Structures are given as C-alpha cells and as structure tokens.
Amino acid sequence: MTQSTPEAIIEPHLSRLLTARESPKTICPSEVARALLPAELKSLGALEWKDLMPVIREMLWKMRDGGEVQILQKGSPIPHDVSLEDIRGPIRARRVTQS
C-alpha cells in the first residue's frame, strides 16, 4: 500500500473550497482541515483536524508565493515580505483573480 503525502490528501479539499468561494470571499484554513474525512485524518496520523493546521497554513503560504492565493489577516492582505513564522493568529485565504 502506497502512502500519500499530506499535501496530496489535503490539496483536493483546499482547491475545492477555494474554487467554491468567488472573490472577494475567503476561506479559513480550519475549513480545509474540518473537510477531511476520518480515514484521511487517520492516514495522516492526525487525531483531530487541528493537528493539520500547520501543514495547511504552509500549503497556503506556498500557494501565496506562487501567486495563486492572497492571504489576509484582519481583512487586510499580508505583505509578501512577511513570512509565515511572523504570523500569529487567524488568517484567511482567497484565490487571486486573473485579470
């Protein structure tokens, strides 16, 4: 049996939720974590959805760096010179709209 990476298991949920929200609406990373099935949580070694929040935040940050999403905190976009390690508290994300 092959083991999937956390990213491979989480990405379909992340993509679905981001696509379902039209800009300027946002998602909370916890929505992605809570969308995972119990079997997916188990396969990732997570006891509960909260265990996956760091991975989901990292995935969103990579998507931000790739120009796919915008990350917001308190309703304002987080500047690109701010790293994930500098962020404390809740964040939200939305797809970058293509002009």
Side-chain angles (χ1 to χ4, degrees):
M1 173 155 97
T2 61
Q3 293 219 344
S4 296
T5 64
E7 291 81 4
I9 293 170
I10 295 168
E11 196 282 328
H13 297 286
L14 179 57
S15 182
R16 177 180 50 79
L17 288 166
L18 284 168
T19 300
R21 303 279 167 85
E22 291 186 25
S23 187
K25 293 183 180 176
T26 62
I27 66 164
C28 178
S30 67
E31 292 176 75
V32 179
R34 290 189 310 252
L36 293 163
L37 301 171
E40 292 170 321
L41 290 172
K42 184 178 178 182
S43 73
L44 294 169
L47 297 176
E48 59 183 354
W49 63 265
K50 293 177 187 178
D51 297 336
L52 297 173
M53 290 300 293
V55 174
I56 294 167
R57 287 170 70 109
E58 287 172 17
M59 290 176 67
L60 283 167
W61 222 258
K62 287 178 187 174
M63 292 175 76
R64 179 193 81 144
D65 291 345
E68 298 175 64
V69 299
Q70 186 176 50
I71 307 290
L72 299 96
Q73 191 168 45
K74 296 182 182 178
S76 298
I78 296 173
H80 278 276
D81 62 341
V82 176
S83 71
L84 178 57
E85 293 77 26
D86 295 330
I87 296 298
R88 298 288 174 260
I91 60 171
R92 297 194 62 86
R94 64 179 167 212
R95 285 249 187 236
V96 171
T97 55
Q98 304 299 322
S99 304

